[in-house]
Amino acid sequence: MSTPQHHVQGLDNDQVQADWPAIDAQELAWLGTRYAALEGPCTVLWHSPRPFSAAALVQTPGGRVFVKRHHLRVRSAAALEEEHRFIAYLAGAGVPVVQVLPAADGHTALVRGDWTYEVHAEGIGADLFREVPSWTPLTDLAHANQVGAMLARLHGAAADFRAPQRSTHVLVARDDLIRADDPVAQLHVQLAERPGLAAYLAGVPWERDITRAIGPWHAALGGRYASEPVRWAHNDWHVSNLLWQGRGAEATISTVFDFGLAAPTSALFDLATAIERNAVDWLASGGPVAHADTALALLDGYRQQQPLPPADVTLLADLLPVVHLDFALSEVEYFHAVTGSRANADVAYHTFLIGHATWFAGPAGRALLDRIRNAA
């Protein structure tokens, strides 16, 4: 594609050249022949700064829509519609999720060349964190309480949703390795079907690294997490994936979006991910900084909607140091096998996969875990 490169959020809280070209007028014209919502002259109002796909807010004659494009190596149409069926189910259960628009043929994901497209209605509410990097912590405790409460509401609605495991490992948050008796042995089994990840791991002492950094935390779970009920979950519950109505402490969540990481995991996995995403500033200049009050406000909001026995709160704390395991490896796979960036794959491996688990073993990480356990 000939569209000039634009800038997106990098892995170091910086602005970098996008891996994927911006959505252009030619693509919108093609989509207009397949989506009624995109018929007629369209104008791009804003390009998303998020890095794993290309996305844009588009003005159409009938209003505004959100167009998102993925490379086929990241999402096939079938894999994308797995997310869309989950979104549709939640909408039917009363969760305020973004609406996915169908094309003329009834499908919600279309393929053109090497690309897969999806189109969403514009969400209701204001994106208070639109330009904020995805790892930025949430410091407003009233907002954190709302974030926890809405996550519990989503979990209640999703309890009866039944669908198979995702058909891909790339950029989805699964919990296969966390549930396994032996994560190293389970990863060996997976590598036969994940050649891109296998190629990267062939160059690092991954068995030693995972055994050292992940092993003690996984052993501490003692099989307790493996018995957690499997439930489809959002798996990327950061405040930047929510729209808001109102101001200050009275603001309420009006739309939930970005289900790209959704997969069958568990309610506790989703809650642990929410704490990891919203309560730790992983990109702080002096090293990660924990916001325990944010974690507790989020937890309190959750428990206002869904019961969480003390044993579950303890398990939640024990799960936190390894909750990123499967997704971090999917990022390694994405950067090495899809975008071809060894440098970014190294960050995903050393800083994310190994670094996060190692941080929880230090004073700040253990203090955060203790605060959560004491809230049981």
Side-chain angles (χ1 to χ4, degrees), residues 9 86 96 165 207 256 273:
Q9 295 165 356
F86 183 42
Q165 180 56 273
E207 294 163 291
V256 179
T273 300

Side-chain angles (χ1 to χ4, degrees), residues 37-38 43 45-46 56-60 62-68 96-101 118-128 130 242-245 254-258:
L38 283 159
T43 304
L45 301 176
W46 171 78
L57 184 64
V58 177
Q59 180 68 55
T60 78
R64 304 201 299 188
V65 298
F66 191 72
V67 178
K68 196 170 184 179
V97 292
V98 68
Q99 180 186 5
V100 185
L101 302 179
E118 58 182 319
V119 180
H120 297 201
E122 183 180 22
I124 297 171
D127 189 350
L128 302 181
R130 189 168 82 169
L242 305 168
L243 301 181
W244 299 76
Q245 287 183 319
S254 51
T255 307
V256 179
F257 63 97
D258 199 349

Side-chain angles (χ1 to χ4, degrees), residues 190-206:
Q190 289 185 4
L191 291 181
E193 298 179 354
R194 303 174 69 179
L197 178 60
Y200 177 89
L201 294 182
V204 296
W206 67 271

Side-chain angles (χ1 to χ4, degrees), residues 95-122:
V95 180
V97 292
V98 68
Q99 180 186 5
V100 185
L101 302 179
D105 65 359
H107 285 284
T108 53
L110 298 183
V111 175
R112 179 192 185 214
D114 291 334
W115 308 103
T116 311
Y117 295 85
E118 58 182 319
V119 180
H120 297 201
E122 183 180 22

Side-chain angles (χ1 to χ4, degrees), residues 4 33 37-38 59 84 108 120 128 136 141 166 185 278-279 323 349 360:
T33 66
L38 283 159
Q59 180 68 55
H84 296 168
T108 53
H120 297 201
L128 302 181
T136 301
L141 299 186
R166 295 299 299 269
N278 293 283
V323 73
Y349 181 84
F360 276 106

